[in-house]
Amino acid sequence: MTTMKAMSLKEGTLAIREVARPAPGSGQILVRTLACAICASDHHYMDHPEVVRADRSRMQIHAPHDDVVMGHEYCGEIVEYGPDTARAWPVGTRITATPALFTPDGLRIIGMAPDAPGGFGEYFLVSEGFARPVPESVPPENLALIDAMAVGWYYTRIGVADENAVPLVIGLGAIGLSVVIALKQRGVPHVVVADFSADRRALAQRLGADVAVDSAVEQPFTAWRRTAWGTEEDVVDRVRLFGLSTCAVYECVGREGILADIIEQCPIGTRVFSAGGAASDTIPSNTAHLKGINLQFGGGPDPADWFEMCDLVTDGTVDTGPLVGEIVGFDGLVDAFERARSSTAPPRIVFRPDRR
């Protein structure tokens, strides 16, 4: 058996191990990892096996006794084609791909099943139809963030449909920052953001946020009302609300209780996009009903959003570099994975196998 070095999840424990090197099957490409970013979705997969087991689509698989190599935000280079492929690009071409792999047992999320190893190893697999060549002029760690950027691109595509809405982005990790980038790319004139971290607020303003709120000092919706309505007053009279800006909240925290607080504090008619989402939560549904809150969980990015963002990053329109706060090799990967859980961690820590 040919093996490779990887950080694998097995028996609930992360470690650098020798695991089986994947072999490309029908329609697949074997890719050598150049860079792979640590995402909160990796933590969710590891920490909440009950959610994985409940996934009836079987796009993610709970396999505690097998080596699961996580990592779904990646960039690599072609090593070998499997059968039934068009072989559109030469071996050695730098590529990335949407994190979905067609397998004989169905579609898998790359990095969330033992038969769909991700980018925290020396090699991983992608489906040829989901792959795109990317330029060598863009650093691989920047290219690895295309998937995170596509999340913000997806949510804002839906959110900007209401031209009267002023956005409030709560939580400024990589996904929250991707929302800020996407909103400004789409020409939204006023973007309010909130986070406890001064560093993340400063970065959001560098990326285009107009108002940055320290959530420990001021209620984010107070700042939102001041920006959108010109007053800090919480207007609850529906007649007075006529003609005022509406609110679009992008929840990018993923902690229990955040949605409940948003629903209690937000204006009537707010639309909430939950890009964070705790594993489980309780919300004041009666308050949401009375306010006419529209709450959307996940649902994207769609492939079109992903490929559009891929083009924006590769042509230089969107620069993901400011989100890359640290690069580690195999020696620091397990520690970095745990440190990435903290709200004080950089927006993205990226693994590169060539780093020592």
Side-chain angles (χ1 to χ4, degrees):
M1 178 181 68
T2 304
T3 63
M4 69 174 184
K5 191 175 184 179
M7 181 180 75
S8 75
L9 175 63
K10 188 174 184 178
E11 307 293 352
T13 302
L14 282 176
I16 305 301
R17 302 180 172 97
E18 286 292 322
V19 304
R21 173 175 153 171
S26 176
Q28 298 175 348
I29 305 173
L30 178 67
V31 179
R32 183 173 71 87
T33 304
L34 296 178
C36 186
I38 300 169
C39 174
S41 295
D42 299 313
H43 297 131
H44 293 167
Y45 174 83
M46 177 177 177
D47 296 345
H48 298 287
E50 74 284 359
V51 175
V52 178
R53 288 193 297 267
D55 183 359
R56 292 184 295 172
S57 74
R58 293 185 59 77
M59 290 182 68
Q60 48 185 340
I61 301 294
H62 178 55
H65 307 304
D66 297 326
D67 285 296
V68 176
V69 180
M70 293 182 286
H72 59 277
E73 297 182 2
Y74 42 64
C75 172
E77 65 179 25
I78 296 173
V79 173
E80 180 185 352
Y81 284 96
D84 307 312
T85 50
R87 303 170 185 257
W89 312 290
V91 168
T93 298
R94 182 175 292 187
I95 64 169
T96 188
T98 58
L101 182 72
F102 286 109
T103 77
D105 296 318
L107 189 64
R108 300 280 194 255
I109 299 174
I110 291 174
M112 296 188 182
D115 57 351
F120 295 141
E122 293 179 296
Y123 301 91
F124 61 99
L125 300 171
V126 300
S127 288
E128 184 185 45
F130 292 152
R132 292 292 184 273
V134 291
E136 295 193 8
S137 58
V138 181
E141 57 268 24
N142 293 15
L143 294 166
L145 269 64
I146 289 171
D147 188 70
M149 293 299 100
V151 176
W153 195 242
Y154 160 74
Y155 280 109
T156 57
R157 172 173 57 81
I158 302 170
V160 299
D162 180 0
E163 296 180 357
N164 193 42
V166 173
L168 170 59
V169 183
I170 299 179
L172 297 172
I175 299 304
L177 293 169
S178 81
V179 171
V180 173
I181 291 170
L183 288 167
K184 300 313 289 189
Q185 187 66 34
R186 294 186 187 278
V188 176
H190 303 294
V191 177
V192 184
V193 302
D195 199 286
F196 291 103
S197 167
D199 289 342
R200 292 189 178 190
R201 294 195 305 274
L203 178 53
Q205 289 186 295
R206 281 174 52 200
L207 296 172
D210 302 280
V211 178
V213 183
D214 182 348
S215 304
V217 175
E218 183 177 27
Q219 223 294 329
F221 286 100
T222 301
W224 180 90
R225 290 192 295 268
R226 191 167 57 244
T227 303
W229 295 347
T231 177
E232 295 183 1
E233 179 188 358
D234 186 8
V235 178
V236 294
D237 185 322
R238 290 179 182 267
V239 175
R240 291 180 59 199
L241 283 170
F242 184 77
L244 293 180
S245 296
T246 56
C247 183
V249 177
Y250 297 89
E251 180 276 306
C252 304
V253 179
R255 294 280 191 270
E256 187 174 350
I258 294 293
L259 285 175
D261 185 65
I262 289 171
I263 290 169
E264 293 286 0
Q265 300 295 332
C266 72
I268 290 169
T270 292
R271 187 163 191 183
V272 181
F273 302 94
S274 181
S280 62
D281 211 341
T282 301
I283 63 172
S285 56
N286 189 54
T287 301
H289 179 82
L290 290 172
K291 286 186 172 182
I293 304 302
N294 188 317
L295 176 57
Q296 175 165 336
F297 293 97
D302 292 341
D305 300 305
W306 198 97
F307 291 120
E308 285 177 11
M309 182 49 66
C310 183
D311 290 341
L312 291 170
V313 172
T314 56
D315 71 12
T317 302
V318 170
D319 179 13
T320 63
L323 278 67
V324 179
E326 185 180 350
I327 299 174
V328 301
F330 273 114
D331 289 347
L333 182 53
V334 174
D335 176 68
F337 189 90
E338 294 305 319
R339 288 190 292 107
R341 298 175 182 275
S342 172
S343 60
T344 62
R348 275 294 184 266
I349 302 175
V350 180
F351 161 66
R352 285 188 55 162
D354 61 349
R355 292 297 172 95
R356 297 292 182 263

